[in-house]
Structures are given as C-alpha cells and as structure tokens.
Amino acid sequence: MSQYTPFEMIAYTGSRVLEDNKIVFVGTGLPIIASMHAQLTHAPGLGLIFEAGPLAPMLEMGMPLSVGDTRACRKACYLKGLSSVFELTQRGHADFAFIGGAQIDMYGNINSTYEGGNYIEALTRFPGSGGAGAMAANCEKTIAIMALEPRRFVNQCNFITSIGYGDGSSDYREKAGVMGSGPYRVITNEALFGFDPETHRMMLLEVIPGKTAEYIQNKVSFDLMISPDLKEMAEPTDKDLKLLREKCDPDGFFLARKVK
Amino acid sequence: MKQTETSSAIRNVSATEPEVLKKVAGAETPFKWWGPTPEEARKIMVNKPKSLHDKRTTIKEAVAKRVKDGMSLGIGGFVNTRPPVAIIHEIIRHGAKDLTLCFQSNSICPELLAGAMLLYPDHVSIKRVELAWWGYEVIGIAPLLRYLNSKGMILMDDYTNYGMSARFKAAAMGIEFIPTRDHGGSDMELTNRGIMVKSPFSGKNTYLVPACYPDLGILHVSAADMYGNCRIFGAHCTCPEIAMASTYTIVTAEQIISNENIRTYPNLTEIPYSAVDAVIEQRFGCHPGNSYGFHWFDMEHILMFRSASDEFRKTGKSDKLKKYYEEYIFGCETYDDFLSKLPYKTLKKLRDMDGGQPVILS
C-alpha cells in the first residue's frame, strides 16, 4: 500500500461517500477534489453544482480554483447565477451539500464565521458563510469535510454558521424553516462519522487502519457514539493516488497541506 | 436585542453572548434602510431618461458623478470572478468615506477598500458590510478583513450567499423583503437584519430577509452595447440582480458590442439598458480576477497584494502595502496606466490560460 497524506485520505473518503447519478453542491477545495475523483471512478453520472452558477460542468481543464471560474463553468448543462442554483436546492435538486468549516459540534452544527473573542470583535474572523449556510439548510444531506483536530471537534461552536441538528431535538430543523434533512457524514483523515437517527448525535462509523475508537475519541471534545458495526476505513490504491495527484490537484493546493 | 415573536430553537445552542446581541446589525430598531427606501429607489428610476442614449463615459467621470460619502455600494462578481476592480481603483483615487459595502462573496474589491481605509482613513473608510463571504478562496483568508474585524472597526452583517443574492433579487423585484429557506437555526438568525415569521398560509416558520437596495452598483461584464444592455458569459454571479437593485449602476465591459448584435440575440441580454447609467469599455477591468472567455486569474498579482496585506496584519508594518497603493493606484491616472505596469507576457499568459472559451460578440 502506498503512502498517502491526510488530505489525500480525506479526498478519497469524500469520493467514496458520494453516489453515482446524484447531484452534489460543492464548496471550494477538498469537496471539488473528492467530487472529481468520484466522477473519474465510481460515479461518472454525478452532477456538480458550483454556487456562482453552473450545473453539471465538465472539469476537463483541471481543478477550479474558484467556484465561479472558467474551469467551474466550462461545458456546463445549465449556467446562470447564484440565485438559480440555490433555488434549485430549495426545490430539492441537490442530493448532497459538500462543505468545510472551522468547528463542528456533536449535532453537526458548523462554524465558519469566527473563533475567539466575539462576533463583533473576533480574534480570528473567517470569511463567513458563503454558500455553506444555505447548502447545509437545503441540500438534502450534508457532508462535512475537515481534518480531525481537537480544536475543530468542539462542545459548542463559537458561532453556528451552517445548521446541523441544532440542539438535537427532532423538530429543530423544521422550526428553523429549512428543507434539507441535515447532517449525513463527517469526513476526516482518520475517521468517518455519521449521525444516530434517534439522538442526532455524531457516531463513529469507520476508523483508519491501525487506530482505535479510543484514539479517535481523544481527538474529539464531545462524547462520540460508536457504531456497533465499526469498520476500518478503506485506503486509496495507487490508482486512486495517481488520479488525485495528477488529475484532481496537480498543483497540490489542498492535498499537500499538513494537519496541525 | 433583536425582537421577534417567532424564532427557531437557536437560543438553545447559540454561544453568542446577550451583550453582543445588543450591538449586532439586527438589533437596530426600528429597521432603517441603509440605502434608499424602495419608494425612493423607484422614484429615481421613474424620473430617469429612458431613451436609448449613448452612456459611454470614462471610469473617472462616472465615479466622480456617482460616488458620495456615506453611500451603500453594491459590488458585483463573485470572489475572484469578475470583481469590478477598475472601478474600485477609481473610487479609491476619488475618495469615499463611511461606505456600506454590499456583496455576496468577494476578495480583492473589499480588501482594496479596507487597505485604503487603514492607510488613508481620512480619504476612504468602510462603516459596515452586508455580506456572505470575504476571502481569497484557494489562496487563503482576507488579512485586512481579519485585521479590521479584530479591532471592531467595521460592523459586519452576515447572510448566506443565497441570502445576499435573494436580497438583491428582492430589490430588483421592487419589493421590501423575500422569504428564504436558510439562516434560520443558525446564529445569523440572531445577528442579521432578517426576521423569522410564521407563514400566513401554512403557519410554518419562514425566514424573511430585507431587500438590499444599494445607492450604487458596480459591475464588470463580458460585453455591453453603448446603451448599457449587458451580456455575461460564464457564471452570472448576482450581477443582473445587483444592476437592477441599485439606484445607479456603473458597468465596465471587456468589449463594447453593437446594438444590432444585442438585438440579434435578445435572449442573451442579462441586464437591460434601463438598469445601467454608465458604460465603459475596459479590457482586463476585473484583473487580477477571472473573466470567462477573456482571461484567467493573475495569481501572482493577488499573492503580491495579499502578502503585503498579511504583513500589515501581522506586524503593523505598512511599507509594502503603501508601496502597492502608491505604485498601482495613486501612481496611475487611469486603469489603463495600471495595466501598462503589467508585463505584456503576463496579460498574454492570462488570456491563454482561459482557454479561449466561446463567447458571442458579433
């Protein structure tokens, strides 16, 4: 088995979670790489939405560097603007939201607004919701993608930018006025999480070979539920790594980064 | 604090302190329009001359005519896609204080204004920002946003990208607000100027966002005729909505095309002439951004400006940042002077990297 970087594992697992003949609404970076890999392998019929306007472009010029750029738009089936594609999600056209974030809590609520200080004077202001808040609200299922670091898997987000299951109550999302069914998977370099259908709490589904559930729990601030059917994560093959490195992110914008 | 009879259960999970909630944009009562009221915006539109007349001018004249202190500025494009940089340069040269910036996602435009505010506070300043996202995407976070926010120097009013787009769309429709299926159940429900209500039809919770009517909209498009009919190739972003939401709209275009060609393909007109007040042909008018069919990003130029900005944020040293403004903005009379400072080989490479996407111009 070849050596792979943490972000290559994330991208490969992201690809694995996606399904053929569905539509995925993708954010910048790793979600794009994962979706490209899925299209090149098990999901040739996967349609992509980028929020600046395109539906089902052909990514034959390489990885888009911005979700509105030429590469993201080229040879799309439908190409308008932000209003059009987000309205498609409200109407149920997007099966998956594929987003990142800085913090996530046990109910899959995600922060991408700020960390430290307060909302008005933040120690570390992030760019903000962008499309993520709307994608998490109205795509049918939300897939979150981030590195498994204790500072990210928190008891309480400083700010909830993208709605998950809120406080876990069964009617939280309905009271929020959103349409999607909510968090589905959280993809990290060392673990794949899902959510318990009853309590809406994050549940460990798969762990990287060689590590234990306890090891994963120690990297997460809240109590994890552990699947009774806990599995090992599949690892990328040489062919997968070649695709990721040569086709999906040849300049190493995302895959070459290090986990802190 | 924001008063609402109906809400989601966000308060059960929110970490936002009550003291902070007293100071957020959504706490402003009673609600005030930050630009014109819908009635004022309509009245100005009604009184505009509606003839097909030649609206070509220079960026300098258009900015001198329309840019005023205290105004709200709707910025077109999306992150690094067609940001109206040429107009931003001229606004910085002209000077504008206490601006309200309105956009969904942008990179270099608000960063350029933020840098000008930090270096020349008596000449340019931002009072508040209605936005969804401010950053450089693959390149990284926006250093000057982070700096300004950490010092509480600008009021931020956060929405989603759909929220901001829908707000412009509502203004383009001439209405006061629009229901969306997002923001509810997030902290934005507590902080922004939207409000959760019960649907008068089903009784279900529905989030309303106020329309966004900027005093001035600024855009860069693929092509326009001399009357202001605009054609956009690649992602439309929210440019049509912003043009139609704004009281006045200034457009730069990669190319001015004939009205005859506009009339040959009327379905390709995304912005009608009545929504545009000034048109300028400006090749590379969104550099260092990307313009589908014309040119790719200038990554090296973005990195240069961003690294000068990041040095200022981290060390407070402003030499490099100041040098950028002195050389590329204040050292230029026009945007063509700025473009003349870029090597021909760079511009050629950017044009080639876009891959010659097909666009209809004749």
Side-chain angles (χ1 to χ4, degrees):
Chain A
M1 183 62 60
S2 307
Q3 287 292 311
Y4 51 84
T5 69
F7 286 101
E8 285 169 347
M9 185 56 156
I10 291 181
Y12 172 69
T13 308
S15 165
R16 232 171 14 98
V17 166
L18 293 170
E19 296 162 34
D20 199 10
N21 302 320
K22 300 276 187 185
I23 289 179
V24 57
F25 198 126
V26 285
T28 282
L30 289 168
I32 300 181
I33 298 168
S35 303
M36 286 175 82
H37 180 273
Q39 283 188 325
L40 292 167
T41 55
H42 66 93
L46 178 71
L48 268 53
I49 292 179
F50 292 106
E51 61 197 273
L55 165 64
M58 294 174 77
L59 302 183
E60 50 187 32
M61 278 175 75
M63 182 180 79
L65 298 184
S66 168
V67 289
D69 72 20
T70 299
R71 293 176 182 177
C73 293
R74 184 176 155 80
K75 294 194 178 175
C77 287
Y78 175 74
L79 176 53
K80 304 281 181 194
L82 283 91
S83 300
S84 309
V85 287
F86 281 111
E87 284 157 14
L88 287 177
T89 71
Q90 292 191 164
R91 190 63 178 77
H93 291 245
D95 301 289
F96 298 107
F98 210 153
I99 63 178
Q103 295 178 329
I104 188 166
D105 68 16
M106 74 158 81
Y107 294 114
N109 303 300
I110 294 175
N111 174 17
S112 54
T113 301
Y114 81 91
E115 210 177 304
N118 63 52
Y119 174 64
I120 296 172
E121 285 186 41
L123 216 53
T124 308
R125 169 74 203 205
F126 304 123
S129 162
M135 290 154 69
N138 295 312
C139 294
E140 184 54 20
K141 294 173 177 176
T142 305
I143 303 169
I145 196 161
M146 58 182 85
L148 185 67
E149 300 166 343
R151 66 185 180 117
R152 294 182 183 275
F153 285 72
V154 296
N155 278 310
Q156 189 179 30
C157 292
N158 283 169
F159 191 94
I160 296 178
T161 315
S162 298
I163 184 174
Y165 293 113
D167 58 4
S169 53
S170 57
D171 61 351
Y172 186 88
R173 291 180 66 89
E174 191 190 338
K175 274 191 188 163
V178 305
M179 297 298 272
S181 64
Y184 170 62
R185 292 286 182 268
V186 181
I187 294 162
T188 75
N189 47 310
E190 295 180 305
L192 173 67
F193 303 98
F195 290 84
D196 176 51
E198 295 298 313
T199 62
H200 291 148
R201 279 174 53 192
M202 200 182 291
M203 178 184 273
L204 181 62
L205 302 180
E206 296 181 8
V207 60
I208 197 166
K211 300 289 185 194
T212 61
E214 292 70 38
Y215 170 85
I216 302 297
Q217 175 64 71
N218 283 336
K219 290 200 158 192
V220 172
S221 305
F222 48 84
D223 284 342
L224 282 172
M225 295 181 76
I226 313 283
S227 167
D229 186 27
L230 186 66
K231 291 190 172 75
E232 275 195 344
M233 289 170 87
E235 294 178 295
T237 64
D238 288 344
K239 192 181 149 223
D240 293 313
L241 291 172
K242 195 173 155 68
L243 280 178
L244 288 170
R245 289 170 191 168
E246 291 174 16
K247 291 262 186 197
C248 302
D249 185 17
D251 297 318
F253 277 111
F254 295 96
L255 297 179
R257 286 187 303 174
K258 291 195 170 60
V259 174
K260 283 173 195 155
Chain B
M1 212 176 293
K2 189 165 157 183
Q3 292 298 315
T4 160
E5 287 170 21
T6 305
S7 75
S8 73
I10 177 63
R11 281 167 206 275
N12 295 348
V13 271
S14 171
T16 308
E17 304 84 346
E19 282 310 301
V20 169
L21 290 179
K22 288 179 190 164
K23 298 178 198 160
V24 297
E28 192 178 274
T29 48
F31 177 87
K32 285 201 271 303
W33 296 99
W34 288 351
T37 67
E39 292 75 17
E40 287 163 350
R42 182 185 154 91
K43 197 172 173 191
I44 292 169
M45 178 55 73
V46 166
N47 289 326
K48 280 186 192 181
K50 304 293 188 335
S51 64
L52 285 161
H53 59 279
D54 189 351
K55 292 171 185 165
R56 285 172 298 175
T57 179
T58 62
I59 300 177
K60 197 168 283 300
E61 278 179 29
V63 165
K65 191 169 179 186
R66 297 293 174 206
V67 172
K68 309 265 186 318
D69 288 350
M71 75 175 351
S72 64
L73 191 63
I75 303 175
F78 176 86
V79 195
N80 299 327
T81 297
R82 287 187 296 97
V85 178
I87 304 172
I88 291 285
H89 278 204
E90 188 54 39
I91 291 174
I92 293 170
R93 276 191 287 270
H94 177 271
K97 288 188 285 187
D98 296 325
L99 293 173
T100 297
L101 307 184
C102 328
F103 56 87
Q104 9 78 350
S105 291
N106 214 292
S107 56
I108 190 121
C109 292
E111 280 290 273
L112 282 169
L113 291 168
M117 170 176 175
L118 290 162
L119 296 173
Y120 316 99
D122 296 333
H123 185 64
V124 172
S125 61
I126 305 163
K127 183 177 178 182
R128 56 195 167 202
V129 190
E130 313 176 71
L131 83 167
W133 205 88
W134 178 344
Y136 287 103
E137 247 176 300
V138 66
I139 299 160
I141 60 108
L144 301 177
L145 158 66
R146 186 166 284 185
Y147 181 90
L148 287 173
N149 188 247
S150 69
K151 305 224 176 308
M153 290 170 76
I154 45 173
L155 179 70
M156 305 284 287
D157 189 20
D158 281 271
Y159 299 82
T160 69
N161 268 335
Y162 182 61
M164 281 309 297
S165 300
R167 296 186 60 208
F168 290 124
K169 184 173 194 166
M173 293 163 77
I175 57 181
E176 276 193 27
F177 56 83
I178 191 165
T180 68
R181 297 286 196 180
D182 50 11
H183 307 97
S186 81
D187 271 287
M188 289 182 279
E189 181 186 336
L190 301 177
T191 59
N192 75 23
R193 307 216 301 154
I195 190 164
M196 187 73 87
V197 299
K198 287 214 178 300
S199 159
F201 302 102
S202 67
K204 290 186 173 179
N205 284 3
T206 299
Y207 201 70
L208 306 182
V209 289
C212 183
Y213 287 84
D215 288 303
L216 180 66
I218 57 172
L219 316 171
H220 181 72
V221 301
S222 312
D225 70 7
M226 66 161 93
Y227 308 129
N229 294 298
C230 299
R231 200 174 276 178
I232 301 172
F233 292 98
H236 293 169
C237 309
T238 313
C239 289
E241 291 94 328
I242 294 172
M244 289 184 260
S246 301
T247 313
Y248 296 100
T249 299
I250 303 174
V251 170
T252 56
E254 293 285 345
Q255 192 171 328
I256 299 285
I257 60 175
S258 71
N259 177 251
E260 188 192 342
N261 190 260
I262 288 283
R263 289 179 188 276
T264 306
Y265 306 102
N267 286 130
L268 293 184
T269 302
E270 291 298 334
I271 303 171
Y273 67 95
S274 54
V276 173
D277 300 278
V279 186
I280 304 100
E281 183 175 81
Q282 182 64 68
R283 282 285 165 128
F284 288 98
C286 67
H287 174 281
N290 166 227
S291 179
Y292 182 99
F294 295 91
H295 59 87
W296 187 241
F297 310 100
D298 189 343
M299 183 71 90
E300 283 171 31
H301 193 93
I302 297 176
L303 289 172
M304 173 189 38
F305 176 68
R306 188 182 175 279
S307 79
S309 306
D310 213 28
E311 184 174 296
F312 177 83
R313 172 177 78 91
K314 286 176 175 160
T315 68
K317 276 168 61 184
S318 59
D319 319 8
K320 277 190 196 155
L321 193 60
K322 214 169 213 166
K323 192 163 167 271
Y324 183 93
Y325 282 83
E326 282 168 5
E327 175 162 5
Y328 291 112
I329 298 182
F330 294 109
C332 300
E333 189 64 29
T334 66
Y335 195 73
D336 277 347
D337 291 343
F338 162 74
L339 292 175
S340 301
K341 290 176 185 276
L342 306 175
Y344 169 73
K345 280 185 179 169
T346 298
L347 298 179
K348 182 170 180 286
K349 188 181 97 183
L350 298 179
R351 200 195 62 180
D352 292 347
M353 280 183 77
D354 188 62
Q357 306 307 321
V359 292
I360 301 166
L361 303 169
S362 61

